[in-house]
Amino acid sequence: MAERQQTDQQLQSPQQGEDMTACVESLEAALLPCLPARELQAIDRSPHPSHQIDVERHARDFMEAAKKLQLYFIGLQHEELPTKEATLRKDIAEMEEEMRTKTQLIKKHEKLILGWRKELKDQLDKHITELERV
């Protein structure tokens, strides 16, 4: 896991790494206050207004940080998507390679068929010759 993170960090630019780190830190900072507030509310079991407000505020902060992190990852995903032109070029290259392969296969089978025809013709001539002798 640590190796993957190092590889991912090496692939990212320093700015992207800093952006992601900032997003994760803000998410963590928003989550940590939620936990004690939630526990206090669960232990108390009373709908104390201050607890309710704390929980809602911390949950809202957490959701905002989570949205920022989500937007960051969506942005990364869009950066890595190939352009339509690149996709078409890749598809064309794959089709050309497939055509070359199939052309070679067709030539191979044509040679085999020609060889079989020659063998059949030779055998037919041989049988005709034997029949003429009889």
Side-chain angles (χ1 to χ4, degrees):
M1 180 74 174
E3 292 176 38
R4 180 168 171 84
Q5 288 175 341
Q6 287 176 348
T7 306
D8 289 347
Q9 288 174 353
Q10 290 171 354
L11 292 174
Q12 295 173 346
S13 70
Q15 180 64 31
Q16 285 178 334
E18 292 170 8
D19 288 348
M20 184 176 67
T21 304
C23 287
V24 171
E25 287 173 356
S26 68
L27 184 66
E28 184 179 10
L31 175 64
L32 289 177
C34 289
L35 300 175
R38 200 54 145 160
E39 289 172 10
L40 285 173
Q41 187 182 23
I43 292 170
D44 194 351
R45 298 277 186 219
S46 66
H48 196 276
S50 65
H51 289 168
Q52 204 64 22
I53 292 170
D54 284 347
V55 170
E56 288 173 9
R57 181 175 49 88
H58 293 312
R60 189 175 46 253
D61 291 346
F62 176 75
M63 290 306 294
E64 287 174 12
K67 285 179 186 176
K68 286 180 186 175
L69 190 60
Q70 181 183 23
L71 289 174
Y72 171 78
F73 284 119
I74 289 172
L76 282 181
Q77 189 177 24
H78 286 296
E79 287 176 9
E80 294 178 6
L81 289 176
T83 62
K84 186 168 183 151
E85 181 181 335
T87 304
L88 289 174
R89 285 185 182 182
K90 181 182 174 194
D91 289 347
I92 289 170
E94 288 174 0
M95 288 179 196
E96 288 173 343
E97 179 61 31
E98 184 179 354
M99 283 182 58
R100 280 191 289 277
T101 304
K102 288 182 178 181
T103 301
Q104 290 172 350
L105 191 61
I106 289 170
K107 287 180 181 178
K108 175 185 168 188
H109 283 98
E110 284 176 345
K111 286 180 184 178
L112 286 172
I113 290 171
L114 288 174
W116 294 334
R117 280 186 179 166
K118 185 178 183 275
E119 286 179 24
L120 287 173
K121 187 177 182 307
D122 291 345
Q123 284 210 350
L124 181 63
D125 290 342
K126 188 177 181 183
H127 288 304
I128 289 175
T129 306
E130 286 182 21
L131 282 174
E132 287 175 352
R133 283 187 199 162
V134 174

